[in-house]
Amino acid sequence: MNANNMLSANKVKQHGMTSNRWTTKDKITQYKGLIKLYTRDRKIMEVDTGVAEKKQIRELKKMQKEIEQNRKDLDNAIRGDKQKLRNTLSDHREMQLAYQNSQPQKVIEMVEQVNFNKRKSRDLLQYKKKLKTQELIDLKLKYAELEDILRFEGLSWASMLPCERQAHIITGKVQDAILKKEAAIVIRHSYKEMIAIMKKDALYFDAILEAIRNDGLSQGKCMINATKLGQLATEYLDDRRQEFQHLEKIIKHDLASRKHDLESVSQRVQSFGANVKDLLRRDSDINLGKVQLHPSESFLELQSNIRDVETTLTYLKNAIFVPNLEAIYPCLQEQLAQKERLTAMVDKCEANRNELLKKTSHAAIIQSEMEFTMIETTSQYKQTKKEHLQEIEDQTEHIRQLNKSIESRHNLMAKIRISLKHLQLLSTLLSYNGKPSAKKIKYLEQGLPPIPDEEEIDGSKIIPDLVKKFSKLAQSSKDLLKGSERDEAYKLFEHLMYQSTKTIKEFQAISEESLIETVFIDPHVLSRDDIKKQSEEIVLANQVTDDLMPDQKKKKSY
């Protein structure tokens, strides 16, 4: 115990360092160092012991496995290898089930016994085979002898037995039936191939026949439409001929009246030249009394025309809401500009319409091609077409609603603008008060026609002008008008409203009948009644009833 104790006196004397000058603390420090050394050595020993223990455990397991393998080899050497035996007998299922758990020696004996039995059976079969071979050789010899007899001696129908004759007859019939059956099979196969080819051709020819039938219908419709158009053209020509005859009568009447007027004017000129000396005034005529001449018919007609022109101009002034007659021309110019703009819009719309018609015709051609050609995507095209048509209907309805709202808005704006122009006209008339403006006076002094005021179209610019004018009028007439004057002003306003909104009666000129009563009729030219009668006969002759119309349904394809 003391030999292994590092803190013993011997170990301290042997390994430790001592000194008389050491204190108790130094000695404690010295002993602590020894304890640490001892602890380190112990840990090293424990680690080495663990490593050695693991190594011994591995060696022990290895030895156990070797012992098990050796025991297994010993058992196989004594009793035989069962696994090897089962693997060896795996090709013979019955022997494997019978001898897989038996002793190897016993299995060997049983295999030898089975082999012996098999060998005996083989020898027996070989002997039987040899006997059968000898018997076959004898039969072949007999067959050869009989064949020689038949070949060289012959076999007639009379010498045959009845059963042989019946056998020959049945054999012939069977062979004929077999030949007929084979011929029928070949013919049936050929007809099947022909029918299959004809079915394939039927798909193509049915489409061609359907296209020809539809083309015939379209050609017939085209001929009927051409006949109708020809009939309409004939009627139109007859109408124009009648109008021409009517115009010819009127022109002849006008020429006759002009000739009569020229003759009367020439007579008046001649009489005027003859009586011109009576028209000269002499000095002695001063003492004569005042002679009043009645106005001539031409002068009265001129006055009537002047009144009509003034009435028409006044009607135009009131209709287009202008303050004076000079402003009519700028307004008409503005209307002409609007007409040109609208004409350009109409041309553009017609161009768009023609483009749409071209696209529609192109789409119709594509549709006909897709309907009469066997394309796999026809159903998809029809589905897409339905979707596009539905979308077009929705867009058309949306456009119709928008056009309706735009039209109502335009009508409302037009009514508002008319009201504003009316108010502007009234304010302008009230502001003039019967006196021309300074600008117009300046033009009149210079001997030039006054420039008419420009017509304002924008309603947003009319409203400030109205506010300005009516404010000025209200301020100027607030303190001036009394009760009776205010009533007169109201009456004057009503009168102005009536004058600005009244209309002029329109007279329609009636054309005079022709004075030429004699009309030459050509018997070779058809009259209107004859043309009508012929057109009815043509329509009846080209009319097709529903019973004669071919069936539009497509044939069922095979």
Side-chain angles (χ1 to χ4, degrees):
M1 182 69 182
N2 293 328
N4 295 326
N5 190 2
M6 295 298 296
L7 299 177
S8 63
N10 293 328
K11 293 291 183 182
V12 171
K13 289 180 180 180
Q14 184 179 357
H15 300 286
M17 295 177 63
T18 58
S19 178
N20 295 326
R21 293 177 296 179
W22 285 1
T23 60
T24 304
K25 185 177 180 180
D26 295 333
K27 291 179 180 180
I28 291 170
T29 304
Q30 183 69 20
Y31 279 107
K32 283 182 179 180
L34 292 174
I35 290 168
K36 288 180 180 180
L37 289 174
Y38 178 73
T39 304
R40 186 190 66 181
D41 294 339
R42 187 173 183 82
K43 287 182 179 179
I44 292 170
M45 290 174 66
E46 287 177 355
V47 171
D48 294 339
T49 304
V51 172
E53 184 179 1
K54 290 180 180 179
K55 185 176 180 181
Q56 290 176 2
I57 289 171
R58 285 197 299 271
E59 291 179 354
L60 181 61
K61 289 181 179 180
K62 185 177 180 181
M63 290 176 68
Q64 287 177 354
K65 290 181 180 179
E66 290 178 355
I67 290 169
E68 289 179 358
Q69 184 66 29
N70 292 331
R71 285 179 179 177
K72 190 174 181 181
D73 294 339
L74 180 61
D75 186 70
N76 292 333
I78 296 171
R79 300 181 181 180
D81 191 355
K82 302 292 182 67
Q83 184 64 34
K84 189 175 181 180
L85 180 63
R86 283 193 292 271
N87 294 335
T88 304
L89 299 176
S90 61
D91 295 336
H92 305 279
R93 185 65 178 170
E94 296 177 356
M95 294 180 68
Q96 183 182 11
L97 293 174
Y99 305 116
Q100 62 181 354
N101 295 323
S102 300
Q103 295 295 329
Q105 188 65 31
K106 184 178 179 181
V107 173
I108 291 170
E109 292 177 357
M110 293 301 297
V111 169
E112 289 179 354
Q113 183 64 34
V114 170
N115 190 16
F116 177 76
N117 293 334
K118 295 288 184 182
R119 191 180 293 110
K120 288 292 185 181
S121 299
R122 186 193 65 181
D123 294 339
L124 181 60
L125 291 173
Q126 286 180 355
Y127 177 71
K128 289 182 179 181
K129 180 181 177 182
K130 187 176 180 181
L131 294 177
K132 293 290 183 183
T133 304
Q134 188 65 34
E135 186 178 357
L136 178 62
I137 291 169
D138 295 338
L139 291 173
K140 284 185 177 180
L141 290 173
K142 289 182 180 180
Y143 175 75
E145 290 177 358
L146 294 173
E147 191 176 10
D148 292 338
I149 292 170
L150 290 173
R151 183 181 297 174
F152 296 106
E153 294 181 2
L155 185 62
S156 61
W157 180 262
S159 62
M160 288 184 182
L161 297 174
C163 60
E164 291 179 351
R165 294 176 184 175
Q166 190 70 22
H168 279 285
I169 293 170
I170 292 171
T171 303
K173 291 182 179 180
V174 169
Q175 289 179 355
D176 293 338
I178 290 171
L179 291 174
K180 290 180 181 179
K181 180 182 177 182
E182 291 178 354
I185 291 171
V186 172
I187 293 169
R188 182 172 177 270
H189 182 67
S190 300
Y191 277 118
K192 278 187 176 181
E193 291 181 352
M194 291 172 65
I195 290 169
I197 294 170
M198 292 174 70
K199 284 181 180 179
K200 292 180 181 179
D201 293 338
L203 297 174
Y204 175 72
F205 287 109
D206 286 343
I208 292 175
L209 290 174
E210 187 67 22
I212 292 171
R213 186 181 294 106
N214 294 329
D215 185 62
L217 291 175
S218 61
Q219 292 292 335
K221 291 179 181 178
C222 182
M223 292 178 66
I224 292 171
N225 293 329
T227 306
K228 291 180 180 179
L229 289 174
Q231 177 61 29
L232 294 174
T234 306
E235 293 178 359
Y236 180 78
L237 178 62
D238 184 64
D239 294 337
R240 300 290 79 77
R241 186 180 286 113
Q242 287 187 357
E243 291 179 1
F244 175 75
Q245 291 176 359
H246 181 66
L247 290 173
E248 184 181 5
K249 291 178 182 180
I250 295 173
I251 290 169
K252 287 181 179 180
H253 173 65
D254 293 339
L255 290 175
S257 61
R258 285 188 180 184
K259 185 177 180 181
H260 179 70
D261 293 339
L262 287 173
E263 290 177 356
S264 62
V265 169
S266 61
Q267 289 177 2
R268 290 176 62 185
V269 168
Q270 291 176 2
S271 63
F272 179 77
N275 300 324
V276 69
K277 59 182 180 179
D278 297 332
L279 298 175
L280 296 176
R281 186 174 181 180
R282 299 177 182 179
D283 295 337
S284 60
D285 293 337
I286 298 173
N287 299 324
L288 296 175
K290 186 176 181 181
V291 180
Q292 292 183 356
L293 299 175
H294 295 284
S296 63
E297 295 180 358
S298 60
F299 182 73
L300 293 174
E301 186 178 359
L302 178 61
Q303 287 182 347
S304 177
N305 293 333
I306 291 171
R307 284 195 297 271
D308 293 339
V309 170
E310 289 178 352
T311 307
T312 304
L313 291 175
T314 306
Y315 174 74
L316 287 174
K317 184 187 74 172
N318 296 328
I320 60 179
F321 297 103
V322 292
N324 47 30
L325 300 177
E326 290 82 359
I328 295 175
Y329 182 70
C331 184
L332 294 177
Q333 284 184 339
E334 180 64 25
Q335 290 182 359
L336 184 60
Q338 295 293 334
K339 177 185 176 183
E340 292 177 355
R341 182 178 64 83
L342 294 175
T343 305
M345 290 179 64
V346 168
D347 295 337
K348 184 178 179 181
C349 292
E350 287 181 353
N352 294 333
R353 181 177 64 84
N354 295 330
E355 185 68 22
L356 289 175
L357 289 175
K358 290 181 181 178
K359 291 181 180 180
T360 305
S361 61
H362 180 64
I365 293 170
I366 293 175
Q367 180 185 5
S368 62
E369 289 180 357
M370 295 187 72
E371 285 180 354
F372 299 120
T373 54
M374 294 178 288
I375 300 175
E376 297 178 355
T377 58
T378 304
S379 59
Q380 183 180 1
Y381 166 75
K382 290 182 178 179
Q383 185 68 23
T384 309
K385 177 184 175 182
K386 290 181 181 179
E387 295 176 359
H388 287 316
L389 288 175
Q390 184 65 30
E391 185 177 357
I392 289 170
E393 289 179 359
D394 297 338
Q395 293 294 334
T396 305
E397 182 66 22
H398 183 60
I399 290 170
R400 190 179 65 80
Q401 295 293 336
L402 290 177
N403 290 333
K404 187 176 180 181
S405 61
I406 290 170
E407 185 178 359
S408 61
R409 186 179 298 175
H410 286 175
N411 292 332
L412 181 60
M413 291 175 67
K415 291 178 181 179
I416 293 171
R417 181 178 173 276
I418 290 169
S419 302
L420 291 175
K421 292 295 293 182
H422 196 182
L423 292 174
Q424 187 182 20
L425 175 62
L426 293 176
S427 63
T428 305
L429 294 174
L430 291 174
S431 62
Y432 283 163
N433 196 14
K435 296 180 180 180
S437 61
K439 190 174 182 181
K440 289 187 178 181
I441 293 171
K442 181 179 178 181
Y443 279 104
L444 291 173
E445 289 177 355
Q446 294 177 0
L448 298 174
I451 298 175
D453 298 333
E454 294 183 358
E455 183 74 13
E456 185 62 46
I457 299 175
D458 192 359
S460 60
K461 295 181 180 179
I462 297 174
I463 293 173
D465 188 18
L466 290 175
V467 172
K468 182 179 178 181
K469 290 181 179 179
F470 278 106
S471 299
K472 187 183 293 184
L473 289 172
Q475 290 176 2
S476 61
S477 62
K478 181 177 180 181
D479 299 329
L480 297 176
L481 296 177
K482 297 180 181 180
S484 59
E485 293 178 351
R486 188 178 293 108
D487 295 337
E488 291 178 359
Y490 286 152
K491 292 179 180 179
L492 180 61
F493 177 73
E494 291 178 358
H495 179 68
L496 290 174
M497 289 290 293
Y498 174 74
Q499 290 293 332
S500 61
T501 56
K502 70 178 182 178
T503 57
I504 300 174
K505 296 182 180 180
E506 296 181 357
F507 298 95
Q508 185 176 3
I510 301 173
S511 61
E512 298 180 357
E513 294 290 337
S514 177
L515 299 177
I516 301 173
E517 297 179 356
T518 305
V519 179
F520 296 98
I521 299 174
D522 190 358
H524 299 287
V525 178
L526 297 176
S527 63
R528 184 178 181 84
D529 296 333
D530 296 335
I531 293 172
K532 293 286 186 182
K533 187 176 180 180
Q534 287 184 2
S535 65
E536 291 178 358
E537 292 176 356
I538 291 170
V539 171
L540 291 174
N542 291 290
Q543 189 174 5
V544 181
T545 59
D546 296 336
D547 298 334
L548 299 177
M549 291 294 289
D551 192 4
Q552 296 291 336
K553 296 182 180 179
K554 295 184 178 179
K555 292 185 178 180
K556 185 177 179 182
S557 59
Y558 295 97

